[in-house]
Amino acid sequence: MGRRIHTSAIVGQNVEFGENVVVMERADIGNNVRVLNNVVVYPGTRIGDGTLVCDNAVVGRPTAFASTSRHSPGSLAMPPLQIGAACIIGSGCVLYWGTRIGDKSMIGDLASIREGCEIGSCTIVGRGVMMECNTYVGDFTKIQAGAHITGSMRIGDNVFIGPHVVTMNDKQMGRLDHKGQYAGPTIADGARVGSNSTILPGVVIGRDAVVGAGAVVVHDVPPGMIAVGVPARPIKEVPPAQRLGTAGSQ
């Protein structure tokens, strides 16, 4: 079958491996896990009970830096990747070391999640999402297909981010490279961001706020307000029934 399971790896009960699976040293795979074909599990990676890792996924990958990167090789020492229980890791995903994924979360096919991220429980990261370094995502959040989630960003609980949303963290667009330059947006609990919108560095989208599809958000959006346009401007309040903790909220 072409499998390579390192002798120091811990493998639980009722684990299923497909063909051409590589499990490296000190990996810890829980009970009732399914690891499908051509999966690579890097050293120390932890996979919780009942999780499914689909074909061609790479989990726990160490960082490699380009010669022109603002990080120098070896500047980040990261712990192994941790994947919670009852998760689904889609086909072709690349999940880096130093990241933690909570229980019952799903990472869609071809998604890439860089080092130092934290993703809560019962959260969905859609197909082809790119999530950069050191970003936090809360519980019960949905990030739709093709979104770009920039580094050093904070996304709360019960957030909705539509397809192909773009977020940024570099106001100088690479012209300067000094400490403190990078600041990702913050999206508070219950906020919703429409498809194809763009959110600039450091912007705060308040609790229960809504950003309309195609908007360019250059200023903070107050809690409970709907903002639309280029640049986005608040136009009215979100109906009470659509806010967190009220009848009609999801």
Side-chain angles (χ1 to χ4, degrees):
M1 301 292 285
R3 303 188 197 115
R4 290 197 301 151
I5 313 299
H6 197 277
T7 55
S8 66
I10 300 172
V11 179
Q13 299 180 343
N14 301 315
V15 173
E16 298 181 22
F17 290 114
E19 297 185 11
N20 302 316
V21 171
V22 177
V23 179
M24 298 185 188
E25 58 269 26
R26 305 182 310 282
D28 187 346
I29 299 175
N31 300 322
N32 304 304
V33 170
R34 295 176 63 204
V35 180
L36 303 186
N37 304 308
N38 307 312
V39 170
V40 178
V41 181
Y42 272 88
T45 298
R46 295 177 60 187
I47 301 175
D49 295 347
T51 284
L52 169 64
V53 183
C54 295
D55 303 291
N56 301 304
V58 177
V59 294
R61 181 194 153 174
T63 305
F65 293 112
S67 60
T68 55
S69 173
R70 66 188 177 96
H71 296 294
S72 61
S75 66
L76 295 179
M78 290 286 175
L81 171 70
Q82 297 183 42
I83 300 172
C87 290
I88 299 174
I89 308 301
S91 295
C93 285
V94 181
L95 309 181
Y96 283 66
W97 64 349
T99 282
R100 295 187 297 172
I101 299 172
D103 297 342
K104 300 181 180 179
S105 287
M106 177 178 178
I107 312 299
D109 297 346
L110 303 175
S112 180
I113 299 178
R114 290 291 303 271
E115 62 273 14
C117 293
E118 182 172 352
I119 296 171
S121 298
C122 303
T123 282
I124 297 173
V125 176
R127 177 185 175 91
V129 168
M130 178 67 230
M131 186 177 296
E132 302 285 2
C133 310
N134 304 316
T135 283
Y136 173 89
V137 182
D139 301 331
F140 295 98
T141 283
K142 296 179 180 179
I143 302 174
Q144 299 292 303
H148 177 267
I149 305 301
T150 194
S152 302
M153 185 171 175
R154 184 174 180 86
I155 301 171
D157 300 335
N158 294 286
V159 169
F160 177 91
I161 297 177
H164 303 290
V165 167
V166 174
T167 59
M168 305 179 196
N169 68 0
D170 183 2
K171 291 183 178 181
Q172 305 300 329
M173 294 186 288
R175 289 300 186 195
L176 300 176
D177 193 9
H178 59 271
K179 188 175 182 180
Q181 173 188 345
Y182 298 93
T186 296
I187 303 179
D189 295 350
R192 291 170 289 163
V193 180
S195 61
N196 293 299
S197 56
T198 300
I199 306 174
L200 268 61
V203 166
V204 177
I205 298 175
R207 180 182 173 95
D208 285 322
V210 171
V211 173
V216 177
V217 185
V218 300
H219 300 296
D220 294 352
V221 179
M225 294 299 295
I226 298 173
V228 301
V230 181
R233 301 182 188 280
I235 58 169
K236 61 181 179 180
E237 294 186 355
V238 174
Q242 296 184 17
R243 301 187 187 191
L244 287 179
T246 62
S249 64
Q250 298 296 313

